[in-house]
Every structure is written in structure tokens, then in C-alpha cells.
Amino acid sequence: MHIRRFLMVALVVGVASIAAAQTFNPRDDIKPKDEESTVSNDRLPDPLSGIESPAEWPARREQIRQLFATEMFGNVPTDKLNAIKVKVKVKDQGTRKSIFGGKATMWQPVVTLAGRDLQLLIFLPSESKDTPAFLAYNFHGNHTVLDDVDIPVTEHWVRNKPGNRASAQDRGNGASRWAVEKIIDHGFALVTLYYGDVDPDFDDGFANGVHAALADKPAGDQWGSIATWAWGLSRVLDYLETVPEIDEQRVAVMGHSRLGKTALWAGANDERFALVISNNSGCGGAALSRRRSGETVARINTAFPHWFCKNFAHYNDNEAQLPFDQHMLIALMAPRPVYVASAVEDTWADPEGEFLSAKHATPVYQLLGSEGLPAKEMPAVDQPSQGSIGYHVRSGGHGVTDFDWTEYLKFSSKHLLNK
Ligand code: GCU
């Protein structure tokens, strides 16, 4: 191109994109209300930049996904995994028993992945066939999900326990986070597993977990632990495709906190997940990075250097240079239903930043012909807003409560059961 014409085009494109960015999102949306932002004149990138029609979305979507993969979560080393033929395999069909007065079956098959045993804990409504399901990692081992002696105590590394070993005393400790009976009563199955089965959550130089099957350390743009856990969820879905009781086309992936970040990245990469739920996922999940409210990119990369790929550290205290923000991660779910949930006291996860991500993903849903998030302003506490994007900020702090599950079941029943 002739240099003068090139400069002219660059000027026009530059002015047009500044104008688009300004109309797209005023700075007030990014700036935390309660503190002076250190980022000046910062704008959210536009997920629809350069496109006008639904037909153009898949290519734009892939461009955005690749940016997240390369700059933040890291790419899965597919070639290496293929070279050693990594696949999920059934190791043990597991026992089944009837629970909740015969309403449900508890089933515990074991699958293997890259040399690791993944112990699944599955709750099926009785006489299930092609039942929709929630797939969600648990934080502390299957034995914490329900107080039942038949659920084995995990033998894998666990956080915050003496010697990093789980104990039988913790049976049912996390039960308040799992509305198992309510899930069954709504006609859904629940599939859960301990995330440490896939990769233990500490900075181990990628020597443990499924990484042990690969000889070398990942490159700067290759997976951190969140991408590894997300990949693990997809491999569990491969297995669920072989289970007649479960409808693999109606699997909702759900996660809380670091596992909410994981659920979002799993949903972004694997469009087989029919619905995605992020519970209090915060920084690196649903919360906008540019707001720098609560946890920041620098803080998360310092405290958890193994979660993201090495390239993400380039954005420590440098969020303005990110080629995306987290509303574009939410947009990667489109047109599938996605729910973002916050808790009002969970300021570390920046509830408003989570709401704004859901709000600013909405133009992508609208381009694809659905409503997105109905709320234009942050909804009042305990007042959910549910379209094809759902959002609520509930009372209380960081955690998963019955209120959260009630709303997830309402949202999922509407989208996956047409109720
Ligand atoms: C820490 C971390 C968060 C994360 C949370 C969790 O608070 O800073 O990013 O979401 O742990 O997973 O519980």
C-alpha cells in the first residue's frame, strides 16, 4: 500500500475505533467507585470490533479465544498430549447405591487421565435416561460434598490440611455448598470430582498431576493450572458422552471462585457445554481486570503463579495493555446461557466488576439474536436478573449458598428443560 494511503487508512481506523470504544463504554464503568483508579483514560476493548453480522462472529470469537489462550490461561499442549495418546479411560465402573429415600442413585466410577485417577461422584435422579446434569469440581475432595461413609476420602494432595492429607473427619464439611437433593428434585444429575485429582493446586513447577505425563515445563503461552483443570472438565465430558443416564448435550459446567474461573475457561473452549455458571469467580474470572478493584492481575499472579500462563505476568499493573477484558470471556459463551453470580460482601471478587462483564457481553448476545442480561444497572441485592445472561448479587460473603443454587436451578430449568 502506498505510504500516504496507509497513513490515511490508519488514521481513519484509529479515529473510528476510539469513537467506537468511547460510545461502547464510558470510563465511569471501569473506574471503581470507591477508590481512585490508577489507570487513566482506559477503555474496554469492544468484543464486536470489526464485525457487524452474526456470520462474522465465529471468526471473531476464535480470535478472542486465542488471545485469552496465549496471553492469560495458556494453550493446551495438544500435540504433546496426542503424541502420548492421552484419553479418558474407565478404570472402575464403581458402586451404585440408592439414596434420599430412593429418589436418587449415588454412583462412583473412576476414570483415568494421563496416569491420574479421577474419582467421580455422580448423583442421578432414579431411572435417569438422558438426564441434564451439572458438572462441577469440588475444592476439598468428594467426601466433603455429602456425609456418607461410602464416599472415599481423597488420597491426593489437599490444601490447608496437616501434611496436605484429607481426613474422614471432614466428611460432609462442604455439604452446605451442594444442594444435592434440590438438584435431584429439579430433574438434574450432579457430577462432581476433586480438582486436585487433575492437578494439585500448588506451584510445583508443573511436575505433578497430569503434567507429570509430559516431560518438560510449559512454554510462556502454554497452560497454567486453570487451563489444565478446564481441560480436565472437557475430558470428563468425553466420558459423560458414553453414559446413557446423562444427556451430554445438556451439561451445565459450574464452579466457585478459582473453580468459577475454571468453569468459564472450560465453557469458552468447549462449546459442548450447554450452559456455564460462574459463582464468585472474581479476578481472572468474571470481574473486569481494568477496574483494579479488589484482587488485581499483579496480586493474583504473585499469590498464584501457577494458575495462568507466564505471559499473563506482562499485564501486572499494566491492565490497559490487555487485548481483552473479562466481559469478552463471558461473550465467548454466546449464544449459550451463562450465569454470573456475586456476593455483596465479597469485595475481593469485585461484584460490580462481575456485573459489568455480564452487561458488556450483552451486545454479542444481541447480535446473535438473544437478550443477554436484562438489567442495565447493577441489580439490588438478592434481586436476580435473568435473560440468556443471568446475574445476581446476593447478601453475604464468598461461598455457594442455597440462594445461589435456587437461582441456578431456575435459570437452568428454563434453558435446559424449557420450564
Ligand atoms: C483467593 C484468590 C481468588 C480465588 C479464591 C478462591 O482468594 O485470591 O482469586 O478466587 O482464592 O478460589 O477461593
Side-chain angles (χ1 to χ4, degrees):
M1 199 188 297
H2 190 277
I3 185 73
R4 267 207 356 239
R5 191 169 131 69
F6 172 78
L7 287 175
M8 198 59 185
V9 170
L11 186 72
V12 170
V13 170
V15 169
S17 56
I18 289 169
Q22 279 174 347
T23 48
F24 175 66
N25 183 36
R27 174 168 148 67
D28 282 353
D29 263 3
I30 302 174
K31 190 175 154 189
K33 288 203 169 62
D34 54 343
E35 53 186 271
E36 202 36 54
S37 171
T38 53
V39 186
S40 60
N41 295 320
D42 205 4
R43 310 268 174 224
L44 285 184
D46 183 352
L48 292 176
S49 173
I51 73 162
E52 280 166 9
S53 70
E56 293 169 290
W57 173 246
R60 171 69 176 144
R61 180 188 189 284
E62 182 51 16
Q63 190 183 42
I64 297 172
R65 195 199 62 77
Q66 274 176 17
L67 284 170
F68 273 105
T70 305
E71 301 299 316
M72 185 173 182
F73 295 104
N75 289 289
V76 173
T78 315
D79 291 348
K80 287 186 198 164
L81 292 167
N82 287 344
I84 56 169
K85 298 194 170 59
V86 170
K87 264 199 182 140
V88 73
K89 294 185 191 116
V90 181
K91 176 174 177 182
D92 181 345
Q93 285 293 350
T95 54
R96 293 185 186 231
K97 87 169 186 185
S98 171
I99 57 164
F100 302 146
K103 276 196 294 200
T105 302
M106 185 174 91
W107 175 34
Q108 302 187 77
V110 183
V111 297
T112 60
L113 186 62
R116 295 281 287 184
D117 283 358
L118 315 187
Q119 172 70 66
L120 305 183
L121 174 60
I122 304 182
F123 298 96
L124 296 164
S126 352
E127 292 170 32
S128 277
K129 191 175 178 301
D130 283 336
T131 303
F134 292 97
L135 170 60
Y137 279 126
N138 60 69
F139 265 85
H140 303 289
N142 293 352
H143 62 288
T144 63
V145 171
L146 194 77
D147 184 3
D148 188 307
V149 286
D150 289 326
I151 303 176
V153 174
T154 182
E155 287 173 8
H156 283 146
W157 185 98
V158 289
R159 289 189 304 136
N160 304 336
K161 290 283 159 195
N164 297 111
R165 292 287 142 217
S167 100
Q169 284 166 358
D170 297 329
R171 277 191 200 289
N173 263 359
S176 67
R177 287 188 170 179
W178 300 94
V180 185
E181 197 165 353
K182 197 182 256 190
I183 292 171
I184 295 290
D185 288 343
H186 279 75
F188 286 85
L190 170 66
V191 181
T192 183
L193 69 156
Y194 171 48
Y195 77 130
D197 282 4
V198 175
D199 188 27
D201 189 1
F202 66 99
D203 188 14
D204 59 13
F206 294 94
N208 294 313
V210 293
H211 296 130
L214 305 169
D216 48 357
K217 278 193 185 182
D221 68 346
Q222 282 188 340
W223 61 2
S225 290
I226 291 177
T228 310
W229 297 321
W231 170 83
L233 289 170
S234 286
R235 302 294 66 81
V236 174
L237 185 54
D238 295 345
Y239 166 68
L240 295 179
E241 286 186 336
T242 69
V243 171
E245 288 89 340
I246 287 176
D247 182 358
E248 70 274 12
Q249 299 195 8
R250 289 184 295 162
V251 174
V253 63
M254 182 271 180
H256 166 61
S257 210
R258 67 197 68 186
L259 301 177
K261 310 180 211 295
T262 302
L264 288 171
W265 187 233
N269 282 296
D270 193 337
E271 293 184 80
R272 292 176 301 168
F273 289 116
L275 188 149
V276 182
I277 300 170
S278 148
N279 191 90
N280 307 174
S281 62
C283 179
L288 292 177
S289 301
R290 280 169 174 77
R291 279 169 51 83
R292 299 170 53 84
S293 184
E295 189 171 27
T296 61
V297 171
R299 278 164 150 169
I300 205 167
N301 278 330
T302 306
F304 306 100
H306 57 297
W307 280 3
F308 300 95
C309 72
K310 296 281 167 268
N311 285 350
F312 196 41
H314 299 152
Y315 304 97
N316 289 351
D317 298 318
N318 188 25
E319 291 84 353
Q321 295 308 313
L322 279 165
F324 45 72
D325 211 316
Q326 299 308 103
H327 61 308
M328 289 160 77
L329 179 61
I330 306 298
L332 290 179
M333 312 310 155
R336 295 164 297 159
V338 58
Y339 205 110
V340 174
S342 311
V344 72
E345 288 164 22
D346 185 17
T347 52
W348 186 238
D350 188 18
E352 195 165 353
E354 297 192 306
F355 161 70
L356 290 169
S357 270
K359 172 177 163 176
H360 290 300
T362 290
V364 175
Y365 279 76
Q366 289 175 341
L367 178 77
L368 301 179
S370 85
E371 185 185 13
L373 183 67
K376 306 279 175 283
E377 302 299 328
M378 177 93 173
V381 175
D382 298 332
Q383 299 294 319
S385 170
Q386 298 182 9
S388 44
I389 302 180
Y391 176 81
H392 70 239
V393 54
R394 63 156 170 77
S395 31
H398 195 66
V400 194
T401 67
D402 244 37
F403 179 95
D404 296 317
W405 275 111
T406 301
E407 296 310 317
Y408 300 153
L409 285 162
K410 202 185 286 171
F411 185 75
S412 306
S413 298
K414 181 173 146 211
H415 292 290
L416 300 180
L417 298 175
N418 288 325
K419 277 190 183 161

